[in-house]
Amino acid sequence: MKSLAKKLTSTFLGPVPISRSRALAVSERLTAVTSLTSSLEYITHQRQIRRGGLNDWTIARGMHASSTRPTRRILDTVGNPRTTRALHIGRIAAAAALLAPGNARWRGAANMFLGLSNAALYPRHRYGTDGSDQVSSFVQTAAGLARLSRQPAVQDALLWYVALQANLSYLVSGWVKLLGEPWRDGSALNGIMRTRTYGHEGMWNLTNRYPVPARYLAHGVLALECLFPVAYLKGGALARPVMASAAAFHVANGYFMGLGRFITAFEAMHPMVAYTSAPKDHPAVAGRDDRMLKATAAMAATGVTIAGFLAAMRRMRATDPWPHGKVLTTRHGNELHYNERVSEDTKAPVLVFGTGMISTTEHFGWITDKLVEESDYGIISYSRAGYGPSKRRSTGTYTLQESVDDLIDLVRNGVAADRDVYLVGHSLGGEIGRRAALELGDRIRGVIYLDSSHPDELTRSKQQQEAADRLKDGLNMFTRSLQTGLGATLVRPKWVHDLPAEVRSRAFAQYADSRLWRAGMREWDATEDDFRRFSGDLPAVGAHALVLSAQRTVDRDPEQLLMHNELGAAHRGEGRVVRNSVIEGADHDTMLTDARLGGDVGRRILDFLREVEGLHGEEGRTGGSKGNQSKEAR
């Protein structure tokens, strides 16, 4: 009985003894199958690369317009149908040759060709590639270099590289899934199986019929990916069950989700995991050089230290008050930091700018530059509590009313009582401004909406509903990633480069700081709860209004244009100027961040302000005799 138990234990537990040469041989053959399958698919689907096809190069090459001229020439050469076909024929020949037995050094050159040609063809086949192509490419490159080298230490370093990449890929995939509620509550599997791209009707029916086993299966996938490195514990004691489970997982993906190439691509990393996880005193791995692991650990420790330092510096930059900024403590105890442009005309109206969710005051740079250049209006840009240098001190549950109250306090205490005020709000900032205007009454002369939110948008807009389903998971993932120090890996997004040069570093510091995203998550929870409870019509606002919509916003969802028209309609009344217009070529963000579009928005704001101020100046000169003349306009 004891011997039977020992046999079973040795069968299902323990390391997977495999030599260096055997690990290389198995890995390169598995990736060769992946490349052979991939190139045969591309050869037999020529219509995808012809004119009008999914990967028509005459269209796809436009994505590389910003590349250097030599790079574009290389891409155009590879993108030529004849070159593409020749490369795939060469890949088929190389992959087929690698399936033959042997350990000759030419196999290294064949592996290198497959890995490098796959990378070269990626821009050509952008639509249709998947993770299997990337995995096979780096495995083939590493295997090729190992084959070409005669030094065991170099070969072991390359095998460790692939093994560590395998662990990282599973870890990242698992922990990212863990951030999403569908994976935590076990409903993700059912959701995936019902999709058109990766779904399977039979499996979907089974998950509906047996929800408890489906939930356990989803949690099992999470456990497998998040705990994959346990294969290295106690001399690889768990290597067999971990790699067997991973293999079963990829086979299931291949069958149910149509990801057949994932089976051979990801399994190609397992021989190197087996080689590196076996105890060093095992005969199969005798003489294995593990310095790569120690070097990687040292580099990781250094990276964590640097990431922590950068995060601290970024936090200091993100929360650094403006040089001549001011601070106001609101009724909720929140500290609002704001920057004020003081005009020479102490009677001129003041524009108070409110940002959208997960946005910064720097987003208004082009608009405020336009206003400063061509007018003498006062300008106040403020950060809501939790954004930039502003601090949320309130201990109660956050609601949108808290931000409305903060804005009201800013207007009442930050702007002289004899000066008229215009509230300017982008996205959620527009809705907060609308609500503040209702309570401030005659103190507000006008409200300017920049692609504003509408409290009924989650009910009426299908696009907003679909975005809402994804937004919370995205916010959660980004926040957790930044909290772990991954902000150091971020590159400046395009919108940051599009801002005025003097505000880019400050805007990016806030974007890469988890504090901004935590505030955004708090606001989103409150906004979703608030908007889903909205019903009825918008109450009348006794102020002038300018409603500017981004063309791409209303083109994608015409319901948004109707709601923006309703924002304007809520302001209509005798003697009021109400303007609705669309910014051509703009989307929700570029209407602020693009220099040309931001300047256009600034010009329209100036035209609106001059019209309103001209109207009030005329009323003053005529003793209000024009007060009954309607200035409504669309």
Side-chain angles (χ1 to χ4, degrees), residues 78-148:
V78 175
N80 184 287
R82 293 182 179 178
T83 307
T84 301
R85 192 178 303 109
L87 283 173
H88 280 301
I89 291 173
R91 284 170 56 79
I92 292 170
L98 284 171
L99 293 176
N103 290 299
R105 293 191 72 196
W106 65 264
R107 302 177 73 88
N111 274 307
M112 291 293 293
F113 169 72
L114 289 175
L116 295 176
S117 62
N118 190 39
L121 285 166
Y122 173 75
R124 184 68 171 95
H125 300 302
R126 179 181 294 272
Y127 300 106
T129 58
D130 53 38
S132 65
D133 296 297
Q134 283 73 46
V135 171
S136 60
S137 185
F138 84 76
V139 172
Q140 286 164 337
T141 303
L145 291 171
R147 284 288 191 194
L148 293 173

Side-chain angles (χ1 to χ4, degrees), residues 8 55 104 118 120 126 138 162 190 284 339 431 501 544 556 575 590 614:
L8 289 173
N55 284 300
N118 190 39
R126 179 181 294 272
F138 84 76
V162 174
N190 178 269
N339 196 25
E431 175 60 14
H544 305 283
R556 285 195 302 266
T590 58

Side-chain angles (χ1 to χ4, degrees), residues 13-32:
L13 296 176
V16 183
I18 184 172
S19 66
R20 180 189 301 117
S21 61
R22 183 64 178 162
L24 276 171
V26 175
S27 290
E28 71 182 5
R29 285 173 172 80
L30 286 170
T31 54

Side-chain angles (χ1 to χ4, degrees), residues 336-505:
L336 294 189
H337 285 251
Y338 63 98
N339 196 25
E340 181 179 16
R341 181 254 185 155
V342 180
S343 59
E344 295 182 2
D345 183 357
T346 58
K347 299 297 183 181
V350 176
L351 283 75
V352 180
F353 284 80
T355 66
M357 188 186 301
I358 312 177
S359 186
T360 73
T361 58
E362 287 72 26
H363 278 70
F364 295 117
W366 294 118
I367 298 174
T368 54
D369 281 355
K370 184 74 170 178
L371 297 177
V372 168
E373 289 172 5
E374 300 188 17
S375 76
D376 196 30
Y377 295 116
I379 297 172
I380 289 179
S381 301
Y382 80 103
S383 296
R384 285 197 297 277
Y387 287 77
S390 296
K391 298 177 178 61
R392 184 174 187 261
R393 303 294 192 189
S394 176
T395 57
T397 301
Y398 175 79
T399 64
L400 286 185
Q401 187 60 43
E402 181 182 314
S403 288
V404 173
D405 293 341
D406 285 352
L407 176 54
I408 292 171
D409 292 348
L410 175 62
V411 171
R412 287 176 174 167
N413 297 286
V415 183
D418 60 343
R419 300 185 72 172
D420 291 313
V421 176
Y422 290 86
L423 299 179
V424 186
H426 175 243
S427 193
L428 180 62
E431 175 60 14
I432 291 172
R434 183 187 68 81
R435 298 186 185 193
L438 285 169
E439 298 189 37
L440 286 166
D442 292 342
R443 188 70 200 279
I444 302 302
R445 178 166 285 188
V447 181
I448 299 171
Y449 301 91
L450 305 179
D451 216 38
S452 177
S453 301
H454 185 289
D456 207 20
E457 64 187 23
L458 295 183
T459 302
R460 293 167 53 182
S461 169
K462 183 178 179 181
Q463 179 176 306
Q464 291 289 350
Q465 292 170 7
E466 293 174 349
D469 293 337
R470 301 187 300 268
L471 181 59
K472 189 167 185 178
D473 281 343
L475 291 176
N476 191 30
M477 181 180 70
F478 217 99
T479 303
R480 298 288 177 83
S481 299
L482 292 175
Q483 287 174 331
T484 59
L486 292 180
T489 65
L490 283 178
V491 296
R492 287 190 178 188
K494 183 178 182 300
W495 65 264
V496 172
H497 289 286
D498 289 342
L499 292 174
E502 64 272 13
V503 302
R504 291 172 190 166
S505 61

